Amino acid sequence: MTIHHLDCAGMCPAGGRLLLGSGGLLTGRIVGHCLLVETEDGLVLVDTGLGTGDVADPRRLGTAFRLTMRPQLSLARTALHQVRALGYSPLDVRHIVLSHLDLDHAGGLGDFPHARVHVLADELRAARARATRNEQDRYRPAQWAHNPLWVEHEATGDPWFGFEAARPVSEAVPEVLLVPLRGHTRGHSGIAVRDGDRWLLHCGDAYFSHTEVDLATPRCPPGLAAFQRLVSRDDRARLHNQERLRALRHEQGSAVRLFSAHDPFEFDRMRDLVPSAG
């Protein structure tokens, strides 16, 4: 099985290395780390980043996001174009698995309307309700106005490396699991992908910087720390899950490799290991 690492939502917010831990002196660098997984049941796309609809009409991302995150919108960066660059058809993408429905993770849904979209049920309910101002900003219904083929999963399942509830996205794709990591949003999830004799765990937005899961001295750049507190639905749960992820890395580092959705250092290291596109 081949796993491709794609950056589908590059962003350059103000702040630079001192506040964000990456980028230049004045602007930071944040990636949108997605996976394209070749399976016997077709391609599985883990998160979608920003899509062609966002490039065509940036207004659907909202003013606040555009001004603060400064997304680098281009068709070449979208998952759709990177899938094609790898020699596949968009119809080859049979499943999309979402860590959550924030706009920088779900923007490409409309580019793969035939795919089954797997998400935790709590997350889909929150995105539909948009009950708070924060949720009105982070969830953008225009990104799923095409009525995706939703597959809702409950936050239940079998134990997995100390996590009590992991479940395959389908019987046809047993090598891709949803691992609930609530906190950043109501139904946030990690996605585990079997890679030979080990696992990759895409942690979504459970953390933003690789320094947060450092085993010796966990820490977070001040800008990212403030941002995470500001947008978290349940900050206590988010911090608890970060502790669990550090424990997982400490106890099972040879069996499970962790990475987040936005850390450019992790993305560059992972991408160097395998062929990719973009």
Side-chain angles (χ1 to χ4, degrees):
M1 184 174 69
T2 301
I3 301 171
H4 304 274
H5 296 264
L6 315 177
D7 177 7
C8 301
M11 293 165 275
C12 297
R17 290 191 299 270
L18 290 178
L19 283 177
L20 302 177
S22 64
L25 293 176
L26 299 179
T27 60
R29 178 191 172 207
I30 293 177
V31 302
H33 195 160
C34 301
L35 301 179
L36 187 68
V37 185
E38 301 177 9
T39 76
E40 292 184 0
D41 195 45
L43 299 178
V44 177
L45 181 62
V46 175
D47 278 352
T48 73
L50 299 173
T52 61
D54 303 314
V55 177
D57 183 10
R59 293 173 300 177
R60 75 179 198 169
L61 298 174
T63 301
F65 177 82
R66 298 199 314 272
L67 291 179
T68 58
M69 301 309 294
R70 300 175 64 213
Q72 306 301 292
L73 298 173
S74 73
L75 290 176
R77 192 185 291 273
T78 63
L80 175 67
H81 282 250
Q82 295 191 61
V83 165
R84 286 174 171 158
L86 286 166
Y88 297 109
S89 162
L91 295 177
D92 294 328
V93 177
R94 299 285 304 281
H95 302 271
I96 294 173
V97 188
L98 295 176
S99 60
H100 59 305
L101 276 159
D102 274 1
L103 58 91
D104 55 326
H105 295 254
L109 287 177
D111 294 327
F112 306 95
H114 298 90
R116 296 167 65 83
V117 181
H118 302 265
V119 65
L120 288 185
D122 287 344
E123 183 68 7
L124 186 55
R125 282 192 289 268
R128 285 169 166 164
R130 302 174 77 216
T132 68
R133 175 58 186 271
N134 191 349
E135 289 171 330
Q136 290 169 15
D137 288 338
R138 75 190 320 159
Y139 299 130
R140 311 302 291 186
Q143 294 180 332
W144 57 85
H146 62 289
N147 295 319
L149 303 175
W150 299 112
V151 182
E152 300 180 49
H153 297 265
E154 297 299 327
T156 58
D158 298 320
W160 183 82
F161 292 104
F163 291 82
E164 64 277 5
R167 60 165 59 214
V169 297
S170 77
E171 292 183 359
V173 191
E175 60 268 70
V176 182
L177 313 177
L178 283 163
V179 183
L181 292 173
R182 182 175 174 271
H184 180 68
T185 64
R186 298 176 194 253
H188 184 275
S189 181
I191 298 100
V193 180
R194 184 180 288 280
D195 183 20
D197 58 357
R198 68 186 302 182
W199 289 85
L200 303 181
L201 180 59
H202 186 302
C203 298
D205 288 3
Y207 69 93
F208 274 65
S209 171
H210 64 284
T211 59
E212 295 177 83
V213 291
D214 183 83
L215 298 181
T217 55
R219 61 205 182 280
C220 184
L224 289 181
F227 176 77
Q228 289 183 84
R229 289 193 299 269
L230 178 66
V231 302
S232 288
R233 173 61 190 171
D234 185 337
D235 206 48
R236 180 176 296 181
R238 178 183 69 85
L239 293 173
H240 173 64
N241 277 322
Q242 284 191 3
E243 292 178 0
R244 298 170 76 198
L245 291 171
R246 282 192 290 271
L248 175 64
R249 187 179 178 200
H250 173 69
E251 298 165 5
Q252 302 290 345
S254 62
V256 183
R257 181 160 188 171
L258 284 65
F259 57 93
S260 70
H262 296 303
D263 185 281
F265 300 103
E266 291 178 330
F267 175 77
D268 291 342
R269 286 198 299 265
M270 299 295 290
R271 192 171 185 171
D272 286 344
L273 298 176
V274 294
S276 188

